[in-house]
Structures are given as C-alpha cells and as structure tokens.
Amino acid sequence: MEPLIAGFDAVLDINIVLWIAAGVLLGYVVGAIPGLGKSMATAVAIPLTFYIEPLASISFLVGISKGSAAGSAVSAILLNTPGEASSAPTTLDGYPLARQGKGQKALKMGLFASVIGDFTATVTLIAIAEPLARVALLIGPVELTAILMFSLTFIAGLSAKSLSKGLISGLIGILIATVGTESETAIERFTFDTLELFDGLSLIPVAVGMLAVAEMIRQTANRHEIDSTTELLSKSQNKADKTISWSEWRQCLPAIARGSGIGIGIGILPGLGATVASFLSYGMTQRAAKDPERFGKGAIEGVAAAESADNAVVPSSFVPLFALGIPGNVVAAIMIGAFLMHGVTPGPLIFTEQPKLIYGIYAAMIFASVSLLVIGYFGQQFFARVVQVPLKYIVPVVLFLCSIGTYLQGGGVFGVGVMVVFGVFGFLFNKLQYSFVTFLIGFVIGPSFELSLRQALALTDADAANLTNYPIAIFFALLTLVAAFGIAMRQRALSGVQKKESAA
Amino acid sequence: MPKRAELISSGVLLAFGLLLVFFIIPNQIGLPDYEVTMSPRLLPYICAIGIIVLSGSQIIQHLLARHRDSGVPFKGWFTAAEGKALVGIAGLFIICIALFIHAAPIVAGGVLVVGLLALFGERNILIYVALPTALLLATYLIFYQVLGTAIG
C-alpha cells in the first residue's frame, strides 16, 4: 500500500493531473468520432509525448486509451455507428434508446458502466501484476521463447480470419523487426546500404502507418457512408428519460459486474481484445435476462453490459505487459513503444527497477478513471456535438498530426516515408484480411524473441533432447500445438457453417 | 473475400518468401567469420520458410475449395473509391515529402492539408485558408514556443 501512496504523491502534481485530464479529454473526443479508435489515438499521440517526463507522458497515453474506449459509446448510441468495433454491441440497444428520446439516459449508463468496468480492472491490475511478475522472474530464456511462441500463435489464431493468415502476419512482423544491425555480430540485415535503416525501423512510423494512415484511407473511401449517418439526437422533455432510476441501476448492476469480469478475463488473455469481450458480455446478459426479447429494442442493460466489458479490457491488458513484458493487444504493443522511448523496459523487472514509476502509473490509472467520470459526465453535450463534425475535416487534421509525430520520432522525413509505406501496406493487409494486430505484436516482440531464442540455443546446446530439462518450455510448446490445432478446427467448423448458410 | 484475390495474395507472399530465401537473405545478410551462438540469418530464414509453408498451404486450400464451388466473383473486393483514396493519399504524401526536402516544412504541411481538403471535394475557400493556418500555427506554438524544439 505504501508504494501506491507514494505513487499518488507523484501523480498529485498539477502538471501530471493536467496531462491525465488532457489525455482523457482528447481520448474521449477521438473515441467519439466514428472510425477513430483507442489504438490509433494512442499511436498518434506517442511522438508528441517525447518531450514530457516519463510518468506524465505514460499517464497522458493511459488517459487517451481509457478516454477513447469510453468515448466510442457516444457515436454508437447517437449515430448507430460505433467509434470502434468493440462498441458495436452498444449500438444494439443504445441507438434504439436514443431514437426513443432516451439518448442522455443511454449515454449516462454507458459512461457509468465504462467507469466501473475500467476502475475494477485497474484495481485487478494493481492486485495481480506484481505477484505475477515475481513468478515471471523465475522464467528463463528457454521458457520465455516457448511462451512467446504460444502467445503469438494464440493471438494469430484469434485476431485473423484464419490461423495461417494470422501466423503469416506475425512472421512478417518479426521479419520487419530484424531490419537493422544485428545485436550479437553487428552485421547489417536488410539495410540495402541505406544509412537510416542501420538502427532498424522505429515502432512509431510503423504503428502510425498501419493504424492511423491505413484507417484514414479506409475512412476517406467510405466517407459518404459515414457522413450520411450523422443525425441529431432526438431530445425528450421528460426528466425520467435523461436520468437513471434506482430500479434501472438494480437492473444494470449484475450486467456491469458480469461485463467487468468478462472484460478483465479477456483483457489478461493475449489476443482476444475488447470486441470479443463486449459481444460476449452482451450475449451473456441477454441470455441471463428474464425477458431477452427486450434486447435490441432499447434494453439499458445491453448498453451497461457492452460498455463495462469494453472498458475493463484496457487496464487488464496491461497485466501481461507489466508482469511478462508481453503485449496482449495493439494498445499494449504501442505502449511498449512509449515505455522504450523513455528508457523503460516493461516486464517483470520494472517492479524492482522502476517502482516509483510503476506505482505512479497505477495511481495515474485510478486518477484517469475518476477523470473519465467527471469529463464524461459534464462533457456529454459537447461530445454529442463532436460526433457531428464531418470526416472531411477530421482526416486532414489526423494525417497532419501523424506526419508531425513520425517526423519527430521516426527519423525525420525518412520516418514520414516509412509511415506512408506502412499505411499503404496496412490498408492492403486489412483488405486481404491479414491481421495487423499480430503483425504489430510480432514486430514489437521480435527483438526479445530473437534474444531469448539465442540464449535458449546456448543453454540447450541447440539440442532438442536437452529440452527435457525445461518442463515449463515443453508445456508451452505442447500448448502451442494444442492451441493451433484447436483454433484451426474451430475455424474449419465455422467456415463450414458459413458455407451452409450461404448455400441456403 | 473472393478466392481469386486470396490466390493472388497468397501467390505474392509465396513469391516473396522464395525471393527472401534464395536472393534477399543471402545478399543482404552477411555471415560472421567467427563462431556465433546463432547466425544472423537464422530468424529471417525461419520467418521466410514459415511464410512459404503457410502461403503455400493457403494456395492449396483455395485451389481445392475452388474445385468444389464456383467462388465469389473477383470484381468488387477493391472498390474504385478505395483505389482513389489509396492513390490520392499516398500520392499527396509523396508530393509533400518532395516539398519538404526541396521547399520548406511550412509549404509541405500546408499542401498536405489543402490537398486532403481538395480530395474530399471541399468548396469553402475559408476552410482552405483557416484549417491549414490553424494547424500550422498550433504546431509552431506547441513545438517552437512551448516545447522549444524545431521541425525541419
């Protein structure tokens, strides 16, 4: 408890408080705009934090990711267009409520559920990350290689349309990470005698290109579709339509508790992500309801279930990041870039090497939850207007900021060029249904995977028979095979069902 | 997604993997003349071979599936609007990078914003003036005045 109090002491500095609040506000605005998600917002903001001290900059980014997760409900409820995929279940009941003149009620419930889910997950992160990190310190390079292989396979299987596409995406990510000077021999790899490639490719232009530029290309192509959905929130004069009654609270609390639990569980597991969590939570709440036919027509528990799960994923996805140094989703992968930019390596040693920073981050996360409630509650009318800003003004601003950010952090004009190349690559990747999530995670874990593989080869004398001395590694290797087989079978069954449905 | 697009993309990946194994890796990654724990070529080779095997298996899978059913028509998986957006944005960035190098950062920034507004068919002249001016002014104030750093 003492380190956490020290963390609060560090965070209760007016500068950091303002950065957190600014992050939440910016995240909320970005999240409210259809098509702009938390991963894109975080990627674009990272380079801008280069000149800020580590705690303030990471707190700012945490604020953005939390704010945008909650903000995506605004457009889902008011426009029937989710800010990002994870808010799609929110539209199912949120939009019907808005059409009935109960938009403010839905927005309030969405906000309260988001804050409760987020806060519960933050407390869980604080409770379990450090004990898990202590266990992780017992893990050596051989085990780590097997764990990384398992994580990548698991993520590949769950985030792409097919396991093979997911694995190809991850392998391309690792391959791109090998560009530059190799650490053991100082031999150049894939540099094509280009001086700028000697240090390898920086995460910032790659991530900003894959996430933001590719998304802006998609939004530009679909602009007529998105702008035509913008319509005004129908307002009701009835006070009961704007507030949440006690009976509605009683109705929603089990859904929020269930959603928070699902969000936490799914956030900790690598690869599943907020979309799976919110859909699962919505589906389970509907199944648990006495009158499931109300769902899809304006059941307020539907909004509560989806939003609590969606927002619980962000803090809980930091559990594998802090405890093992493994990013479970894109936001966590991008956060690794922010940590590295400030000379901090996330992983089990962070608790002993940077205790002040880590507890400061915890305190900032709690403070961000409170900011989320205050900003979301009092800014409701403002965010309702933000969703109506036409896309033709948003795209130039976002791409301008992307260019400035990658210029500053990605090696000048070369970085901007890299961003554009990966923007085009990301767009095609997405069109062809390859997984940019697995690509980015492969790119981020590539160097640590190579290092642990090298150490594992040295420890085992490159002899597979010596693996018998490493039962945990064998366990994860077998788990990788089982996961790959299970995912492949599940996808085969799903494609069989889809074929039958399309034939019918 | 249409099977023809799947086949083409898997074929491109297979060719890329083969190019890596037989040409790019041997030419772009040297070998040390002393003993090392792990060759600098090992991980790239693992990735390249993985790409070959997986894309090859995808091709076989799609060929077999194609044999069983007629598949979705190729036309339509990539729309004209997407093509225009892709070429427009990428082309605009190339022009702006050239302007950045040969003219000045302020010109490149201004052209980027104006060009994107034009791409969206904006007709209000005031927006063409106000948006780039506001963005460039905000950038100047944040980076040059508040953070004390320079761009360009």
Side-chain angles (χ1 to χ4, degrees):
Chain A
M1 201 63 193
E2 220 170 275
L4 191 60
I5 292 166
F8 269 107
D9 196 37
V11 165
L12 288 173
D13 173 304
I14 186 69
N15 276 325
I16 296 176
V17 167
L18 286 174
W19 278 114
I20 297 169
V24 171
L25 179 64
L26 186 65
Y28 221 108
V29 170
V30 173
I33 298 168
L36 308 189
K38 48 185 170 281
S39 46
M40 199 209 78
T42 319
V44 174
I46 284 184
L48 308 177
T49 64
F50 184 64
Y51 301 96
I52 313 167
E53 58 146 321
L55 181 58
S57 82
I58 291 164
S59 305
F60 176 64
L61 294 169
V62 164
I64 288 181
S65 58
K66 286 190 172 201
S68 49
S72 62
V74 179
S75 55
I77 292 167
L78 300 183
L79 303 180
N80 200 25
T81 308
E84 55 186 324
S86 57
S87 279
T90 309
T91 61
L92 300 174
D93 285 293
Y95 188 62
L97 280 167
R99 299 281 297 225
Q100 292 161 24
K102 296 174 185 172
Q104 286 197 43
K105 185 197 284 281
L107 283 174
K108 277 179 187 159
M109 182 43 79
L111 172 68
F112 295 143
S114 297
V115 172
I116 296 171
D118 173 78
F119 185 78
T120 317
T122 304
V123 173
T124 309
L125 165 74
I126 296 169
I128 68 170
E130 197 177 355
L132 199 63
R134 266 184 245 131
V135 177
L137 282 173
L138 306 172
I139 291 169
V142 185
E143 291 87 354
L144 187 62
T145 309
I147 291 172
L148 287 173
M149 275 168 61
F150 167 71
S151 304
L152 205 64
T153 310
F154 198 60
I155 294 168
L158 296 171
S159 59
K161 191 88 180 165
S162 75
L163 177 64
S164 54
K165 281 190 174 183
L167 287 173
I168 290 173
S169 312
L171 288 171
I172 296 175
I174 296 175
L175 190 73
I176 301 286
T178 63
V179 173
T181 310
E182 203 252 357
S183 57
E184 190 187 1
T185 58
I187 283 173
E188 294 151 27
R189 296 191 290 196
F190 307 120
T191 57
F192 298 90
D193 293 327
T194 307
L195 192 66
E196 287 90 345
L197 287 175
F198 280 29
D199 282 339
L201 289 166
S202 161
L203 173 68
I204 305 300
V206 174
V208 170
M210 290 288 281
L211 296 167
V213 178
E215 185 59 38
M216 288 304 102
I217 295 171
R218 266 194 300 278
Q219 300 287 342
T220 305
N222 300 331
R223 63 185 183 274
H224 299 299
E225 208 176 291
I226 290 170
D227 281 344
S228 65
T229 58
T230 307
E231 57 181 76
L232 287 169
L233 164 70
S234 56
K235 286 176 184 167
S236 164
Q237 297 306 313
N238 187 354
K239 202 186 166 200
D241 289 343
K242 296 176 187 172
T243 52
I244 302 161
S245 65
W246 280 113
S247 68
E248 283 166 334
W249 267 114
R250 274 197 299 276
Q251 232 174 322
C252 289
L253 278 174
I256 294 173
R258 191 182 299 111
S260 304
I262 290 170
I264 291 167
I266 283 181
I268 293 171
L269 287 172
L272 290 168
T275 310
V276 175
S278 56
F279 271 104
L280 191 63
S281 172
Y282 182 86
M284 285 182 76
T285 301
Q286 189 181 15
R287 267 197 295 276
K290 285 174 191 159
D291 41 2
E293 64 281 356
R294 278 193 312 112
F295 282 74
K297 294 172 190 160
I300 198 155
E301 311 96 286
V303 174
E307 282 304 307
S308 54
D310 182 9
N311 286 268
V313 170
V314 175
S316 53
S317 69
F318 290 172
V319 172
L321 178 70
F322 290 162
L324 307 165
I326 297 172
N329 59 19
V330 179
V331 174
I334 294 165
M335 289 299 281
I336 285 193
F339 277 101
L340 295 176
M341 199 170 81
H342 292 284
V344 181
T345 309
L349 289 173
I350 200 171
F351 292 94
T352 47
E353 288 173 355
Q354 303 271 356
K356 204 177 163 192
L357 177 70
I358 198 80
Y359 284 99
I361 294 170
Y362 284 166
M365 289 177 89
I366 293 174
F367 191 79
S369 300
V370 179
S371 306
L372 199 61
L373 181 65
V374 175
I375 290 172
Y377 192 82
F378 291 104
Q380 208 180 63
Q381 291 297 328
F382 168 68
F383 299 125
R385 287 183 195 282
V386 165
V387 296
Q388 290 161 15
V389 175
L391 201 67
K392 63 181 176 182
Y393 304 135
I394 293 164
V395 173
V397 175
V398 171
L399 288 178
F400 181 82
L401 290 176
C402 290
S403 310
I404 299 277
T406 46
Y407 179 86
L408 290 169
Q409 258 307 293
V413 180
F414 182 78
V416 179
V418 171
M419 175 192 80
V420 177
V421 169
F422 278 92
V424 174
F425 180 64
F427 176 78
L428 295 174
F429 224 56
N430 189 273
K431 280 299 291 178
L432 295 163
Q433 296 173 335
Y434 285 86
S435 162
F436 68 86
V437 176
T438 324
F439 169 87
L440 278 177
I441 291 174
F443 181 75
V444 168
I445 67 167
S448 55
F449 179 70
E450 187 169 26
L451 178 68
S452 61
L453 180 65
R454 181 182 296 125
Q455 290 169 336
L457 287 172
L459 285 168
T460 57
D461 293 325
D463 185 351
N466 289 334
L467 277 175
T468 48
N469 300 323
Y470 302 93
I472 297 174
I474 292 175
F475 170 75
F476 275 98
L478 290 173
L479 205 61
T480 308
L481 292 174
V482 171
F485 183 74
I487 291 165
M489 286 297 108
R490 190 185 65 116
Q491 286 174 348
R492 206 183 156 92
L494 273 175
S495 77
V497 170
Q498 279 167 358
K499 268 180 194 167
K500 270 182 194 168
E501 278 175 359
S502 61
Chain B
M1 205 175 79
K3 285 190 180 63
R4 201 169 139 196
E6 294 272 18
L7 277 171
I8 292 171
S9 62
S10 303
V12 169
L13 281 168
L14 180 67
F16 173 63
L18 291 169
L19 199 68
L20 274 170
V21 170
F22 294 108
F23 186 73
I24 301 175
I25 294 174
N27 284 299
Q28 278 295 314
I29 307 176
L31 286 173
D33 42 15
Y34 49 90
E35 202 180 327
V36 287
T37 324
M38 190 174 114
S39 164
R41 289 181 181 177
L42 181 67
L43 191 59
Y45 268 133
I46 292 173
C47 294
I49 291 165
I51 292 168
I52 291 170
V53 171
L54 291 164
S55 53
S57 75
Q58 284 203 123
I59 291 174
I60 294 167
Q61 223 176 335
H62 292 302
L63 283 174
L64 289 174
R66 196 180 196 182
H67 187 68
R68 280 198 298 267
D69 62 46
S70 59
V72 187
F74 183 57
K75 196 185 160 190
W77 76 277
F78 197 89
T79 64
E82 286 170 336
K84 272 184 202 166
L86 184 68
V87 173
I89 291 178
L92 190 60
F93 265 112
I94 292 168
I95 293 167
C96 291
I97 289 171
L99 284 172
F100 190 99
I101 297 166
H102 300 294
I106 191 167
V107 179
V111 169
L112 179 69
V113 180
V114 169
L116 286 164
L117 286 169
L119 202 69
F120 275 95
E122 176 61 45
R123 288 179 185 172
N124 189 340
I125 296 293
L126 193 67
I127 297 289
Y128 277 106
V129 177
L131 193 60
T133 308
L135 283 172
L136 290 167
L137 195 66
T139 308
Y140 170 77
L141 288 173
I142 292 169
F143 289 97
Y144 286 76
Q145 299 299 318
V146 178
L147 297 171
T149 183
I151 297 170

